[in-house]
Amino acid sequence: MDDLILALGRIVGSAHVLTADAITPEYTHDEALTVAAVTPRAVVRPGSTEDVSAILALCDQQRVPVAARGGGTGLSGACTPLPDGIVLSLERMRRIVEIDGENQCAVCEPFVRLAELYAAAEDRQLMYPIVPGENSATVGGNVGTNAGGMQAVKYGVTRHQVLGLTAVLASGEVIRAGGKFVKVASGYDLTQLIIGSEGTLAIVTEVILKLVPRLPYRSTILAPFHTLEEVTRSVPKLLALGRQPLMLEYIDLMTMASILQRSGMDLGVPQEIRDRALAYLVIVTEGRDEERTAEDAQALGEHCQELGALDVFMLPSQAGRKLIEAREQSFWAAKAAGAGEIIDVVGPRAQIAAFVERASQVAQRNAAFVVGCGHAGDGNVHFAIFHGEAEVRNAVVRELLQTGIELGGAISGEHGIGLAKKAFYMEFEDPVRLALQRRIKAAFDPHNTLNPGTIFD
Ligand SMILES: Cc1cc2nc3c(=O)[nH]c(=O)nc-3n(C[C@H](O)[C@H](O)[C@H](O)COP(=O)(O)OP(=O)(O)OC[C@H]3O[C@@H](n4cnc5c(N)ncnc54)[C@H](O)[C@@H]3O)c2cc1C
């Protein structure tokens, strides 16, 4: 057995260092569609911040690359290890340390899965509002990717909920940034710098997350439109009403058909409307008062009709919940149908209609099939790209990302860059910003130990 494996065993106990056949396939990849699996030299499972610190100090000294892994549900290949590196799996650090009702926050170890946090917050009449749609994801992974999801239009993304964190630098030094307070003006904001850094700057070993009061009522409306452009054009106008929807999602015809088929749902939309509708808006409102929540939904629905919706359906609460659950399955539906890549371009809301129009031209010109759904309220479009030839598919992805940037947006709104989008990021990112990021990376991690080659080379 090599010296590194023995030394890692002395830190965490040999039962928590997996090598060779003990490394099961799940440690070799995440859910990215275009990133190949890689088997690492070892999988190491620390049980505490002290363990993480000792592992990183050792790996940094021996120049062994470290890929942090949470639930492995990421969509950009950002927890894929290197063959000579280790996977640092946080799976033993899964304690909800505290739900603090008075300060409305949760203190969590990194491997707390979202489903567990939702349940613990609910027990205290509170809610953790970040819902990226995959409840087996962990809070550490959410911090790593700055996860968003369907409720971001009202509550923002992970970075808006993180009050503070404990993190271990590549050297093994431990830092605590932020705390149980909602504002701070004391030096550079290291918490925010680490959020979204995809495991390249530090390993997060504890997170303090803001919770919000749980509002008991929800109303869901479904508005079919003739075209996707009409849907995306309506979004800024609907938000201008000030009714603060909890979710404002678009689903195109093909995606709606496939998620309904997967879930076995019938929304009761008459055939003559289904025949004409190429896209749907789903709007959810929430509130403390049942009548006012329904009134908000109704006002949004009436405005949809003024904006050209073919009809508006107020869904009964169970159907509304089922539709949102079905929408969460859209990635699996696209994967099952043979999608070659999923992209999540984000842009200014008012430019999304132009983006969608240009995307359909790109698809037509390349004889590719581009369909999807997305967080319309955030200007975050999720497209699944279908084409038999990888080269054409890649060219389509490249052109769509470039178009998003030209319209004032960015390559990814929430899935991250990882390995999957790295080549495009390095091509399109402003060289001055890229150089500054390299200097920041070198300040945190001078030997390039943490997730080397992720985001940029
Ligand atoms: C069906 C499906 C739907 C999804 N929908 C959405 C969506 O709507 N919105 C959205 O934002 N995402 C979505 N995702 C992507 C995914 O759920 C998120 O990226 C999530 O944040 C990943 O969490 P994880 O625990 O699985 O992290 P992993 O995939 O394990 O890791 C993600 C990144 O975080 C790093 N990391 C993990 N733990 C730590 C740590 N403790 N310290 C430092 N870095 C760490 C990893 O190195 C990697 O770079 C979806 C995924 C699936 C499969």
Side-chain angles (χ1 to χ4, degrees):
M1 199 179 294
D2 72 43
D3 288 349
L4 175 76
I5 305 300
L6 288 172
L8 290 168
R10 279 194 291 275
I11 297 168
V12 292
S14 55
H16 296 301
V17 183
L18 312 180
T19 55
D21 290 349
I23 300 176
T24 49
E26 86 237 24
Y27 292 112
T28 65
H29 65 89
D30 64 5
E31 296 297 341
L33 296 179
T34 53
V35 178
V38 175
T39 302
R41 190 163 156 192
V43 174
V44 186
R45 303 188 295 207
S48 64
T49 299
E50 293 69 34
D51 283 358
V52 174
S53 166
I55 294 164
L56 293 196
L58 175 72
C59 290
D60 198 48
Q61 198 191 24
Q62 300 203 6
R63 308 290 188 265
V64 175
V66 176
R69 181 185 170 86
T73 71
L75 296 176
S76 69
C79 67
T80 314
L82 288 171
D84 59 342
I86 65 161
V87 165
L88 186 77
S89 173
L90 283 309
E91 66 202 84
R92 288 172 64 215
M93 299 179 68
R94 56 190 322 152
R95 215 161 44 97
I96 296 178
V97 179
E98 184 189 6
I99 300 285
D100 178 343
E102 286 198 327
N103 289 306
Q104 293 197 336
C105 63
V107 181
C108 297
E109 289 188 335
F111 203 84
V112 170
R113 293 194 192 264
L114 285 172
E116 293 152 7
L117 179 57
Y118 296 151
E122 193 175 338
D123 284 348
R124 302 285 296 272
Q125 305 306 316
L126 292 165
M127 176 174 87
Y128 180 60
I130 303 302
V131 182
E134 178 49 61
N135 292 354
S136 65
T138 66
V139 297
N142 280 193
V143 171
T145 62
N146 186 26
M150 283 195 255
Q151 298 185 172
V153 66
K154 180 166 180 188
Y155 290 106
V157 297
T158 300
R159 72 168 68 259
H160 302 116
Q161 301 301 323
V162 178
L163 299 175
L165 44 81
T166 302
V168 185
L169 304 182
S171 60
E173 292 164 290
V174 178
I175 60 163
R176 291 196 169 76
K180 285 184 180 179
F181 39 80
V182 293
K183 59 195 218 181
V184 62
S186 309
Y188 294 158
D189 195 332
L190 298 175
T191 309
Q192 291 298 327
L193 190 51
I194 290 169
I195 297 168
S197 63
E198 303 188 22
T200 63
L201 295 184
I203 305 299
V204 174
T205 57
E206 193 171 275
V207 201
I208 306 173
L209 296 164
K210 208 195 294 177
L211 303 174
V212 297
R214 184 170 190 78
L215 303 178
Y217 297 106
R218 288 188 180 189
S219 286
T220 305
I221 59 168
L222 175 70
F225 281 79
H226 185 49
T227 65
L228 185 50
E229 282 80 27
E230 280 174 6
V231 169
T232 46
R233 245 179 254 293
S234 302
V235 168
K237 295 177 184 128
L238 289 165
L239 287 170
L241 285 184
R243 298 274 178 173
Q244 275 217 305
L246 174 67
M247 301 180 201
L248 188 47
E249 296 285 306
Y250 88 84
I251 305 177
D252 73 13
L253 168 71
M254 296 307 291
T255 307
M256 183 62 104
S258 72
I259 64 174
L260 291 183
Q261 193 193 25
R262 258 177 98 82
S263 65
M265 256 190 109
D266 180 358
L267 291 168
V269 178
Q271 187 64 44
E272 53 117 0
I273 291 189
R274 271 190 280 159
D275 288 345
R276 289 161 60 211
L278 290 183
Y280 295 79
L281 251 190
V282 182
I283 309 178
V284 181
T285 57
E286 66 162 1
R288 187 165 297 290
D289 177 273
E290 191 171 11
E291 249 173 62
R292 281 184 62 177
T293 308
E295 192 188 297
D296 282 338
Q298 204 162 347
L300 286 156
E302 280 163 15
H303 206 51
C304 281
Q305 265 181 318
E306 285 159 27
L307 293 166
L310 300 170
D311 204 340
V312 173
F313 301 89
M314 183 82 95
L315 299 183
S317 64
Q318 206 188 348
R321 211 170 31 247
K322 275 189 79 178
L323 176 59
I324 296 303
E325 280 166 19
R327 153 69 184 89
E328 286 172 352
Q329 295 295 312
S330 61
F331 168 77
W332 302 115
K335 185 177 175 181
E341 180 58 305
I342 307 274
I343 60 167
D344 82 306
V345 168
V346 66
R349 272 179 213 130
Q351 299 302 321
I352 292 303
F355 176 70
V356 164
E357 204 176 311
R358 282 176 61 180
S360 82
Q361 290 162 9
V362 173
Q364 265 178 30
R365 205 177 334 107
N366 290 280
F369 195 46
V370 175
V371 294
C373 54
H375 312 309
D378 310 333
N380 194 189
V381 178
H382 291 18
F383 276 144
I385 321 292
F386 295 80
H387 194 285
E389 288 168 41
E391 211 174 300
V392 179
R393 210 165 52 225
N394 213 38
V396 169
V397 169
R398 183 183 174 283
E399 200 172 340
L400 292 177
L401 300 182
Q402 191 175 23
T403 304
I405 292 169
E406 278 168 17
L407 290 171
I411 288 178
S412 169
E414 53 185 23
H415 296 164
I417 301 298
L419 299 177
K421 308 285 173 348
K422 178 170 75 170
F424 305 115
Y425 185 68
M426 289 182 62
E427 181 182 354
F428 296 129
E429 177 62 337
D430 167 26
V432 179
R433 274 200 316 241
L434 200 52
L436 178 59
Q437 291 187 82
R438 288 198 168 105
R439 295 201 293 276
I440 292 169
K441 165 76 172 160
F444 270 78
D445 177 16
H447 302 133
N448 205 15
T449 299
L450 299 178
N451 239 353
T454 298
I455 308 178
F456 47 79
D457 286 325

